[in-house]
Amino acid sequence: MKKTPLLNIALSRVIASLGHGDILVIGDAGLPVPPGVELIDLALTKGIPDFVSTLRIVLSEMQVESHVLAEEILLKQPPALADLNTLTEQAALGERRLLSHEEFKQLSRKARAVVRTGECQPYCNIALVSGVTF
C-alpha cells in the first residue's frame, strides 16, 4: 500500500503522468468539464470532499510550479481563499496568475484532467501547473 496520503487510483495515475507545464484543475461542484478532458469525480455530496482538503492531498504528491485562479475569487472571498493565500506564502503553489472566470474555463480545456470536488463555495477552482523536482 502507498505511504503517501493520496489513495485515489485515477488521481494518483494522472499526477504520476504529468510532465513539466501540464495542467491539473481542481474544481468546485459546478465547474464545467470541457469535452475531451478527463474528469476525476470525487464529489459525494455538498461539501464532501471540500476544495482545500482535496488540494492539500494533491500537493502531497504533485510538484507545482505555478497556479491560476479566477479573479472573481478575490471579489467573493470564499473561506478557501485564506488557505490558498497561506499555501502561496508557503511556496506550495508557486507563482499566482489571475484570469477572468471565463478565461479560466477556456484554460481548463488544456488540462490533463479536472478533479471535481463537492465544494459549493463560489469560484473555488484552481489550475495547477506542474513543475519538476530537479
Side-chain angles (χ1 to χ4, degrees), residues 68-74 97-101 104 123 125:
V68 181
L69 301 173
E71 57 198 8
E72 288 86 347
I73 195 171
L74 301 178
R97 193 170 63 142
L98 297 170
L99 299 175
S100 72
H101 188 60
F104 184 92
Y123 303 107
N125 307 298

Side-chain angles (χ1 to χ4, degrees), residues 71-82 85 121-124:
E71 57 198 8
E72 288 86 347
I73 195 171
L74 301 178
L75 300 173
K76 290 291 185 179
Q77 299 275 317
L81 182 58
N85 289 337
Q121 295 294 318
Y123 303 107
C124 287

